[in-house]
Amino acid sequence: KFYIMKKKTLPKSLDDWDIYSFHINSTVTSRYATTIITSRVANRMNESKEIEFHVKIPKNAFISKFKMMMDGQVYEGVVKTKEQAQVQYTEAVSRGQSAGIVSSVGRTMEEFKTSVTVAAHKKVTFELTYEELLKRTHGKYKLVSNCLFCCFHHQMDVHIREKVDISFVDVKGGLNTKALANAITKTHTNKQAWVYFHPTVDQQKTCDSCGEEGMNGDLVIVYDVNRENGLGDIMTSDGYFVHHFAPSDLPRIPKNVVFIIDQSGSMHGRKMAQTRTALVHILNDLAEDDFFGLISFDSAINYWKRELIQATGQNLEQAKQFVLNIRDRGATDINAAVLEGARMLNVHPREGSASILILLTDGDPTTGVTNINTIRSNVKQKIAGKYPLYCLGFGFDVNFEFLKKMSLENNGVARRIYEDSDADLQLKGFYDEVATPLLTDVTMIYVGGANLTQTNFSQYYNGSEIVVAGEIIDNNVEIFTSVGSLDTKGLLQRVWAYLKVKQLLEKELLLTGSEKNNAKKEALELSLKYSFVTPLTSMVVTKPEGENTEVLYKPKERGNLQPERSTKAHGRHNLIISAYPRLCPILILIS
Ligand SMILES: *[C@@H]1O[C@H](CO)[C@@H](O)[C@H](O)[C@H]1NC(C)=O
Ligand SMILES: *[C@@H]1O[C@H](CO)[C@@H](O)[C@H](O)[C@H]1NC(C)=O
């Protein structure tokens, strides 16, 4: 986690500066993770030294606190609007100081880096706090921490507390190797789990995945909870509630899925090969009562069949031949391809099924209709809220912002597929998330609740989870009585704020005019109130006299990736959940 930039080899810097302890402490309370990273560093030199603090944090997290403690003084970061932070930044720059925290974005993590000048023989403590709501995919929650070679006291402690029983806890990731096995301890009672990672210095140098710079990798803690109550669990405290809803005992809904595959020239080589591999695996997983369509496109559209076809063994074999023959060539006509995919679904209404449109592309529209606003409006009109559109952007040459908006306004999400050796697994992994629709058109209703986060979900898939939070306004009766006990003082309000900010930021993307400004304003106010470093705020870190003021921004990825959202669509299965006194939610299934 801590990293010395100047040296390519193992830090042999114990003689000049010495990280004498590095601690990652995560507390997960009902899937809301608060992580505090504390690093203590001493300057062993006779002269002052610049000491760096450099860590990776999950992209989905918001930094909420940063402190440096030195010589009895505490220098604390303050979250401000971007504009206010910019003023301080500009002032610092005009004083000849190079302000600004360099940060960048990787696949799942982004970086936080700062430094401070420490006087001879003095010590400094850095403390960074970030928060995230763990998202359930493929039937589990994942907490990812990055650990780098550092020091004598390297320690990671994770404590998971749930109101319901924990069904399993596993430790995965690049660092979960034989050489480090005895550095990891895992214990687990019904409702709590602890994972400790305390590697020795030797283990940090000689572990399986250690490179020249020693240990550098992720530890991933995965777990899930039991869901005895099909309606999920509601937690309440301090006038707020959070409802986790992830029923798994519902019958799967047969699906109609159309894959729209970019075969333009830029897909050449490995990307095209990985796409073919992933598609063959995906076809293998279709159920016999699913219907599917396959379109590959460049400047023209190539069909396997013009209409949806049932996923029988024989049809799948033929489809695989089609897939194996997809070759890259030509330009990218996204408009025609998506409209054609939507047409295929539109002419195939099927009682009691869920339809899904999946676009995979690696570039901008270059032929046919190329104006992205026209494409968005054409697609929105054609889909008309009937089913979700998922856009997979392969690599960094795509206009991801466009894909994101187009999916969000059609009840889907956009996902980046990173050009790497595992791209086929990323594609298949995404497909698996939406492979088993269990509900369509879900509306959650909370009697006595207000200021709710998103309550309409176009589809609910096996292995995922719907989370709704809100304020409890009706205090008289025991509305929202929750069973079990878990101390969540002040926490549920933060979960609510976290969800609210994430959803407002996505909503803001699609809105225009005063609605856009209102959504932005609300997201900003919440970010400031809860001290979240979001795309609308920055954290200003004032350092000791004579040193740079630094401004921390949430870094932007090229094409800017944001979390998922979906809204109401028209489906056959309407689900309404209401919370009434004493009962957890009531479920009414209308089909
Ligand atoms: C980890 O953080 C929690 C919450 O702040 C705290 O109660 C706990 O003592 C910390 N654990 C360690 C080992 O520092
Ligand atoms: C630090 O200062 C002491 C006393 O002045 C001296 O003996 C020592 O050699 C110095 N160490 C370094 C690394 O310069």
Side-chain angles (χ1 to χ4, degrees):
K1 205 90 190 188
F2 204 100
Y3 189 57
I4 296 157
M5 295 302 289
K6 291 162 213 147
K7 299 261 162 62
K8 268 272 169 335
T9 52
L10 276 177
K12 53 176 169 102
S13 54
L14 295 186
D15 50 337
D16 55 2
W17 53 287
D18 171 16
I19 305 158
Y20 59 95
S21 110
F22 190 84
H23 186 195
I24 305 171
N25 178 2
S26 294
T27 310
V28 184
T29 305
S30 193
R31 301 139 232 191
Y32 193 71
T34 305
T35 301
I36 306 170
I37 301 179
T38 312
S39 172
R40 297 177 209 280
V41 193
N43 178 9
R44 304 264 184 239
M45 294 290 275
N46 279 350
E47 58 203 52
S48 63
K49 261 260 170 276
E50 187 169 14
I51 288 180
E52 196 176 67
F53 175 67
H54 183 176
V55 293
K56 288 186 187 171
I57 68 164
K59 269 187 192 176
N60 232 5
F62 289 147
I63 286 176
S64 56
K65 247 185 238 157
F66 176 66
K67 277 198 267 190
M68 287 186 294
M69 285 150 284
M70 207 165 50
D71 235 3
Q73 290 279 336
V74 179
Y75 304 90
E76 202 159 351
V78 182
V79 173
K80 303 198 170 177
T81 67
K82 274 211 146 147
E83 294 72 24
Q84 288 171 326
Q86 189 61 39
V87 171
Q88 274 178 285
Y89 177 86
T90 312
E91 278 171 3
V93 170
S94 73
R95 286 197 303 270
Q97 302 171 338
S98 64
I101 291 173
V102 189
S103 41
S104 66
V105 184
R107 241 203 236 186
T108 54
M109 309 291 266
E110 58 195 31
E111 292 186 36
F112 175 90
K113 189 156 68 175
T114 188
S115 65
V116 68
T117 304
V118 179
H121 304 297
K122 293 283 183 195
K123 294 171 180 174
V124 59
T125 301
F126 300 97
E127 195 181 286
L128 178 75
T129 307
Y130 59 85
E131 300 173 32
E132 69 184 311
L133 181 65
L134 304 180
K135 196 173 136 75
R136 186 167 184 260
T137 52
H138 302 121
K140 49 189 180 269
Y141 306 99
K142 249 198 238 177
L143 176 75
V144 183
S145 302
N146 179 258
C147 300
L148 282 166
F149 175 84
C150 78
C151 49
F152 190 64
H153 288 289
H154 187 310
Q155 168 176 354
M156 181 172 105
D157 298 323
V158 177
H159 182 195
I160 300 170
R161 309 185 308 147
E162 291 291 339
K163 205 183 78 178
V164 289
D165 286 354
I166 295 170
S167 54
F168 72 90
V169 182
D170 264 334
V171 183
K172 296 194 174 338
L175 293 182
N176 184 32
T177 60
K178 234 193 200 157
L180 287 170
N182 68 1
I184 300 172
T185 346
K186 185 182 88 175
T187 45
H188 147 34
T189 62
N190 288 347
K191 293 180 170 56
Q192 296 195 69
W194 295 264
V195 177
Y196 301 125
F197 177 54
H198 297 183
T200 62
V201 173
D202 282 344
Q203 278 173 322
Q204 295 177 55
K205 281 187 213 161
T206 56
C207 62
D208 301 354
S209 59
C210 287
E212 278 211 328
E213 294 168 355
M215 185 174 80
N216 177 2
D218 292 340
L219 258 201
V220 182
I221 291 157
V222 294
Y223 77 100
D224 199 15
V225 298
N226 284 334
R227 294 179 177 75
E228 267 135 40
N229 180 353
L231 303 178
D233 49 289
I234 284 199
M235 303 212 312
T236 59
S237 87
D238 304 319
Y240 283 81
F241 77 90
V242 176
H243 179 203
H244 291 269
F245 177 66
S248 54
D249 48 359
L250 301 168
R252 63 176 282 280
I253 303 176
K255 63 182 180 290
N256 317 304
V257 57
V258 173
F259 302 96
I260 308 166
I261 307 301
D262 188 342
Q263 59 171 19
S264 62
S266 53
M267 286 287 287
H268 180 73
R270 188 167 73 161
K271 282 201 272 186
M272 201 73 254
Q274 289 169 323
T275 303
R276 286 192 293 261
T277 306
L279 277 171
V280 167
H281 287 299
I282 288 169
L283 290 174
N284 280 336
D285 281 358
L286 289 175
E288 178 126 17
D289 57 357
D290 290 335
F291 278 69
F292 71 106
L294 271 172
I295 293 174
S296 64
F297 72 100
D298 42 79
S299 50
I301 290 174
N302 307 287
Y303 300 91
W304 170 55
K305 296 277 194 286
R306 278 185 184 267
E307 312 302 334
L308 293 194
I309 299 287
Q310 190 171 356
T312 61
Q314 197 184 0
N315 289 337
L316 288 174
E317 282 315 308
Q318 284 180 27
K320 280 184 224 166
Q321 288 313 308
F322 175 85
V323 163
L324 293 173
N325 285 314
I326 298 177
R327 292 286 176 272
D328 57 280
R329 57 164 181 251
T332 313
D333 189 347
I334 288 181
N335 183 68
V338 178
L339 292 182
E340 188 48 30
R343 182 202 63 81
M344 288 171 74
L345 286 174
N346 289 349
V347 299
H348 185 86
R350 186 157 63 115
E351 193 76 9
S353 66
S355 295
I356 301 169
L357 194 53
I358 299 177
L359 166 70
L360 171 72
T361 181
D362 75 333
D364 291 341
T366 53
T367 183
V369 176
T370 54
N371 180 308
I372 53 178
N373 291 328
T374 314
I375 300 175
R376 277 174 58 192
S377 122
N378 290 345
V379 168
K380 193 172 175 192
Q381 199 181 357
K382 192 90 176 180
I383 293 179
K386 285 178 294 212
Y387 41 81
L389 166 67
Y390 295 101
C391 296
L392 303 175
F394 207 147
F396 279 97
D397 295 330
V398 285
N399 181 341
F400 198 75
E401 195 80 8
F402 157 59
L403 294 183
K404 190 160 92 181
K405 286 179 180 171
M406 189 160 71
S407 352
L408 286 175
E409 65 198 355
N410 292 290
N411 306 310
V413 293
R415 193 65 70 77
R416 170 109 51 206
I417 303 297
Y418 292 86
E419 281 190 63
D420 211 335
S421 55
D422 69 344
D424 52 332
L425 300 177
Q426 297 174 52
L427 285 166
K428 178 68 166 54
F430 168 78
Y431 170 76
D432 287 343
E433 284 179 37
V434 299
T436 315
L438 296 181
L439 293 167
T440 63
D441 199 5
V442 182
T443 304
M444 318 284 280
I445 297 172
Y446 300 87
V447 177
N451 254 327
L452 304 174
T453 58
Q454 186 187 330
T455 51
N456 294 309
F457 304 87
S458 80
Q459 300 194 345
Y460 161 72
Y461 302 102
N462 195 28
S464 71
E465 181 171 61
I466 287 174
V467 185
V468 182
E471 276 183 68
I472 302 167
I473 45 166
D474 196 344
N475 274 324
N476 52 13
V477 269
E478 289 157 77
I479 286 179
F480 299 111
T481 299
S482 55
V483 285
S485 64
L486 183 62
D487 174 25
T488 54
K489 198 108 192 93
L491 194 85
L492 299 188
Q493 192 172 347
R494 294 192 77 78
V495 180
W496 168 81
Y498 174 95
L499 274 175
K500 201 82 184 166
V501 170
K502 292 255 165 189
Q503 292 171 2
L504 282 166
L505 288 171
E506 285 177 353
K507 211 157 122 191
E508 183 260 329
L509 262 189
L510 302 179
L511 295 171
T512 51
S514 64
E515 281 185 324
K516 188 183 185 75
N517 288 337
N518 290 343
K520 214 169 168 170
K521 188 162 163 265
E522 197 184 340
L524 175 63
E525 281 165 5
L526 288 171
S527 307
L528 291 172
K529 178 168 178 199
Y530 293 91
S531 174
F532 288 144
V533 179
T534 68
L536 302 175
T537 54
S538 301
M539 185 181 268
V540 176
V541 185
T542 309
K543 298 207 276 189
E545 196 73 20
E547 278 207 60
N548 308 345
T549 293
E550 287 192 317
V551 180
L552 162 70
Y553 294 107
K554 189 154 180 70
K556 235 185 169 178
E557 182 174 10
R558 263 185 301 162
N560 189 19
L561 192 78
Q562 292 264 337
E564 308 197 356
R565 177 190 112 106
S566 49
T567 51
K568 193 178 159 97
H570 310 285
R572 299 300 314 165
H573 299 254
N574 299 288
L575 175 72
I576 297 181
I577 294 183
S578 311
Y580 283 109
R582 253 176 267 265
L583 302 169
C584 271
I586 291 179
L587 182 134
I588 310 160
L589 189 60
I590 312 161
S591 5

